[in-house]
Amino acid sequence: MSMTYSYYKNMQLNNIIFVYQGEVTADLVSSILQMVENKLEGEGEDRKVKKRVFNVMVECLQNVYHHLDALPPTDASSSVRDKTALLMIGREERDYYIITGNHVLNDRIPDLKARLDRINRATKEELKQLYQEILTGTGFSEKGTAGLGMIDIARKSGQKLGYDFHPVNDKYSFFSLEARVSRIPEK
Amino acid sequence: MEALRIESTHKTPRVILDPENGIFEFSGRSIPEDSVGFYAPIFEWFDQYAKNPLPVTHVRFDLEYFNTSSSKNILELLKRLEAIHAAGHEVRVTWYYDEDDEDMEETGQDYQALLNLPIELSVKIQS
């Protein structure tokens, strides 16, 4: 039990509103969205900021839900794949931040990295154009999403996306993504 | 043609498609994980409706939030309306947004740019 206080202090120090580590299901995503929405509502945050945070949160969480690569079972007697991820939302003086972390197959990294770098290099106008191209051009991917999520996150965030790939083993890495939403409403 | 009514949930909009009363409306939020499943019956309804539409079809979108997979389905929906319009029937779309919601306004502009369909952007009256 002695760890409890240090967890608490750590979360407070890092301005964490919410953190979750565990399996990501559709119901869980719904519950988190509702909970954080209520929290933002209760704290009287600027309406526009609140909407943006909610929007970015929806995309980030659903992105994890649709695209995480489940790890094979660690226990040989089990057939349950490990679909755990990390979801974190925090509020600093200037920004809200939304961080997700999940396993991805190493094979997917070059493509993911190229997409993120392209998004981070793009101007506001280029992101708009890219969004429209993907919206009209391609069909749904096999997982039923439009491949638009990250572009939308970048458009609504208005800031660069932070990311990292932490090697886990020869097959998997841990992918973290950070999106920030300014608390200072632009004029 | 029979009306299609779907009640809103935390994740899906209220839908009213009622030709008899001339009401075509989407309101609330559209953030389901499975947006294809939600929109499929709506597409089917419009495919039937397109065979014998009203002289004027006025569709209102009054959405608070939607996710990117819904945005693709909404485009598909608007394309169906575009086809009805192209076939010589009057179709109008009103896209509502909150005065301070530039993101929703911008999405409306995105659709305007992508479609050959009269889409009017309209500031929502604050309730």
Side-chain angles (χ1 to χ4, degrees):
Chain A
M1 289 302 288
S2 61
M3 288 302 286
T4 314
Y5 186 67
S6 80
Y7 285 143
Y8 172 76
K9 283 315 273 185
N10 243 318
M11 281 182 70
Q12 203 176 42
L13 202 66
N14 290 299
N15 305 291
I16 297 167
I17 296 178
F18 176 86
V19 65
Y20 172 84
Q21 185 276 122
E23 189 176 353
V24 178
T25 62
D27 281 348
L28 177 94
V29 169
S30 302
S31 308
I32 296 175
L33 289 174
Q34 228 169 301
M35 190 164 67
V36 177
E37 189 182 21
N38 287 344
K39 182 145 177 146
L40 294 174
E41 201 76 53
E43 287 175 358
E45 187 59 77
D46 178 85
R47 196 163 66 132
K48 194 165 144 186
V49 173
K50 204 180 67 190
K51 269 196 154 177
R52 280 221 169 117
V53 172
F54 188 74
N55 255 310
V56 170
M57 203 168 62
V58 169
E59 291 303 326
C60 287
L61 268 52
Q62 293 187 344
N63 201 33
V64 171
Y65 172 73
H66 286 294
H67 296 296
L68 70 82
D69 290 319
L71 296 178
T74 40
D75 180 354
S77 66
S78 161
S79 62
V80 182
R81 293 176 73 88
D82 177 1
K83 285 207 256 180
T84 57
L86 177 79
L87 309 170
M88 201 158 106
I89 294 145
R91 182 184 51 218
E92 297 172 347
E93 199 181 330
R94 298 178 65 88
D95 289 333
Y96 278 91
Y97 63 85
I98 293 122
I99 294 174
T100 60
N102 56 274
H103 289 96
V104 293
L105 287 163
N106 288 336
D107 299 348
R108 285 180 57 204
I109 295 177
D111 178 54
L112 251 172
K113 195 174 173 323
R115 273 171 53 196
L116 284 159
D117 288 342
R118 184 175 177 199
I119 289 169
N120 277 342
R121 272 197 313 269
T123 61
K124 198 168 178 263
E125 206 41 51
E126 285 166 347
L127 281 176
K128 187 187 174 92
Q129 212 181 327
L130 198 57
Y131 184 90
Q132 293 190 356
E133 278 170 22
I134 296 180
L135 189 64
T136 50
T138 56
F140 281 94
S141 74
E142 56 191 56
K143 284 181 179 175
T145 55
L148 286 170
M150 282 194 191
I151 298 168
D152 191 60
I153 293 166
R155 279 181 89 182
K156 298 216 162 98
S157 153
Q159 303 185 40
K160 304 268 177 251
L161 303 175
Y163 70 85
D164 179 59
F165 294 96
H166 183 88
V168 174
N169 56 34
D170 59 354
K171 221 169 158 212
Y172 290 93
S173 291
F174 194 74
F175 166 51
S176 16
L177 180 71
E178 180 192 63
R180 305 184 80 86
V181 176
S182 172
R183 294 182 66 193
I184 301 141
E186 75 247 30
K187 288 285 161 289
Chain B
M1 184 176 175
E2 203 156 317
L4 177 67
R5 287 167 187 275
I6 304 171
E7 281 309 313
S8 66
T9 70
H10 269 294
K11 288 196 168 184
T12 54
R14 183 172 72 145
V15 180
I16 304 173
L17 302 172
D18 181 354
E20 203 174 316
N21 296 300
I23 301 171
F24 303 88
E25 218 174 81
F26 295 82
S27 57
R29 49 180 63 182
S30 182
I31 54 169
E33 285 86 25
D34 175 20
S35 56
V36 177
F38 179 78
Y39 283 95
I42 297 167
F43 292 159
E44 269 171 47
W45 190 92
F46 270 107
D47 289 343
Q48 287 301 317
Y49 176 75
K51 291 176 187 166
N52 187 19
L54 296 178
V56 181
T57 307
H58 182 195
V59 186
R60 294 179 174 84
F61 287 89
D62 183 357
L63 296 171
E64 186 190 1
Y65 296 112
F66 56 89
N67 60 0
T68 47
S69 88
S70 295
S71 73
K72 193 131 189 163
N73 282 287
I74 292 167
L75 179 68
E76 285 305 315
L77 194 64
L78 292 169
K79 278 188 181 163
R80 279 165 163 81
L81 296 173
E82 188 183 40
I84 297 172
H85 180 66
H89 309 281
E90 191 180 334
V91 179
R92 285 188 296 136
V93 172
T94 306
W95 185 268
Y96 293 95
Y97 63 95
D98 279 326
E99 197 174 4
D100 57 1
D101 191 349
E102 288 151 29
D103 296 331
M104 194 54 84
E105 184 184 3
E106 204 168 338
T107 314
Q109 290 167 353
D110 284 348
Y111 288 130
Q112 274 181 332
L114 294 172
L115 293 151
N116 189 13
L117 184 70
I119 301 177
E120 185 202 359
L121 302 185
S122 178
V123 174
K124 215 185 292 187
I125 310 297
Q126 298 295 333
S127 53

